Amino acid sequence: AAMVDTTVCSASATVFAADTVTLDVWHQFTDPESAQTQAFEAAVEEYEKEHENIKIELHGLDTESYKTKISTEFASSASGVDVFYYWAPGKLKQLTDADKWILSRVNKLIKDTTNNLEKFNLGIAYDNIVSFAWDEFCDWYVEMVKTRLYDQENETRAAAIWTLKNVMIDILKLLHPFMPFITEEIFCNIQSDEDTIVISAWPEYKEDDVYAKEEHDIEIIKEAVKAIRNIRAEKDVKPSKQVPVYVVTDNDDVVNAFNNGKDFFASLSKASEVTVTGSKENVPADSCSAVIEGAGIYIPLAELVDIKEELERLNKEAGRLSGEIKRCEGMLSNEKFISKAPEAKVNEEKAKLAKYKEMLEKVEAEIKDLSK
């Protein structure tokens, strides 16, 4: 219902002035028998009853088409429709490392897709485009630029908008042979320079858009974000909780990479503050750590969990594992079990015993660290 309400409320005042209005609503619930589809259609029907002058036409999209459309609408709404239509001429001096990274990545995608299509490797070409659109563009770049888009005073905001539009148009053109109708609709809605995507120029690989250093720098930051997310997941930290992060490195290139990307790195890693330092002197001794290329990442353990509660949880887990180990050892020391049980069952219990012992060692090590 909230989705329907948001979609309808986004219509202009002139639309609501009409006697009867028909609105298109795009959704991902393509299975008519699914509970999601039925709930969504029920919400739409209820909305139409409350608003007699509004008729809603539902359009189902497959997963790839839906995500392409939604990511485009995010870019337009987050940056402002009027601004998003603006096409900045030439190279922008405000391009950041994140912008250059995604421009370099889509540039490589253009080259690879063109080569694959010429060789009729259609499946490989399509998979590469979808992987790029979902993973690198939607999951990473869009998240990287959110802080810039929402900050009207940010001097690099225009560069983010320009990059979003350029990359999105390249994605649409590469997808067009596989997904002609949805790409045509989106293309005509996000730009006004060309009437149709059908006769638009195919994207070309450009040597000027190869940014090897920026690609390398952003990949380092991505690895750091993944490492921090793994630590947070292991410690069961609430997604909303922000914690300080220390980056320890004596590599000048890595220092510059994190200084240039500190804002979006902090946002993606849910860091309350990011400290880039050359030594561990100022890093709390009880910090959780992870190693990435050229640097160590540290998060103070006291900021992640309540030490007392964590010790209670770990001691409880140690007790459970000790019980499992005792049970396995009892079964494996029982001659009747060994002689009568299938070999697969015996091997299964041996594997469980090894696993439980390994887990107990890790838990006991954590208890020892926390008890210091």
Side-chain angles (χ1 to χ4, degrees), residues 97 210-218 253 256-257 260:
D97 284 1
V210 176
Y211 299 103
K213 180 183 181 302
E214 287 78 4
E215 277 198 63
H216 181 259
D217 289 351
I218 295 300
D253 290 336
N256 290 332
N260 292 337

Side-chain angles (χ1 to χ4, degrees), residues 80-89 92 158 161-162 165 190 192-193:
V81 174
D82 293 336
V83 181
F84 194 65
Y85 273 98
Y86 173 68
W87 188 285
L92 296 181
I161 296 168
W162 180 83
K165 181 174 182 179
I190 68 171
S192 56
D193 296 326

Side-chain angles (χ1 to χ4, degrees), residues 159-282:
I161 296 168
W162 180 83
T163 305
L164 274 170
K165 181 174 182 179
N166 274 344
V167 175
M168 176 55 73
I169 287 177
D170 283 341
I171 292 173
L172 292 174
K173 289 184 177 182
L174 295 176
L175 274 176
H176 183 64
F178 307 96
M179 201 182 289
F181 301 109
I182 187 65
T183 52
E184 169 71 5
E185 178 183 342
I186 297 173
F187 182 81
C188 293
N189 277 282
I190 68 171
Q191 58 82 48
S192 56
D193 296 326
E194 299 179 86
D195 293 333
T196 175
I197 196 173
V198 177
I199 58 174
S200 63
W202 183 257
E204 294 183 1
Y205 175 81
K206 303 180 183 69
E207 289 292 343
D208 289 344
D209 281 340
V210 176
Y211 299 103
K213 180 183 181 302
E214 287 78 4
E215 277 198 63
H216 181 259
D217 289 351
I218 295 300
E219 290 302 326
I220 290 176
I221 293 179
K222 284 172 61 181
E223 287 304 310
V225 171
K226 291 176 184 177
I228 292 171
R229 288 175 176 174
N230 287 339
I231 292 174
R232 293 175 65 100
E234 289 173 1
K235 300 300 180 183
D236 197 23
V237 181
K238 293 180 180 179
S240 60
K241 183 176 178 60
Q242 293 189 319
V243 296
V245 173
Y246 294 84
V247 180
V248 179
T249 177
D250 57 2
N251 186 310
D252 291 339
D253 290 336
V254 176
V255 170
N256 290 332
F258 277 95
N259 285 336
N260 292 337
K262 185 178 288 188
D263 289 343
F264 71 78
F265 172 63
S267 175
L268 293 175
S269 60
K270 297 296 179 68
S272 55
E273 60 178 326
V274 178
T275 303
V276 182
T277 178
S279 70
K280 291 179 59 179
E281 291 182 4
N282 298 321

Side-chain angles (χ1 to χ4, degrees), residues 7 42 61 134 325 356:
T7 304
L61 293 175
W134 282 40
I325 290 172
Y356 291 142

Side-chain angles (χ1 to χ4, degrees), residues 77-80 83 92 94 147-164:
S77 61
S79 56
V83 181
L92 296 181
Q94 297 89 353
T147 54
R148 294 159 63 194
L149 292 177
Y150 295 140
D151 182 3
Q152 299 287 337
E153 303 301 321
N154 192 312
E155 63 180 10
T156 68
R157 183 172 180 270
I161 296 168
W162 180 83
T163 305
L164 274 170

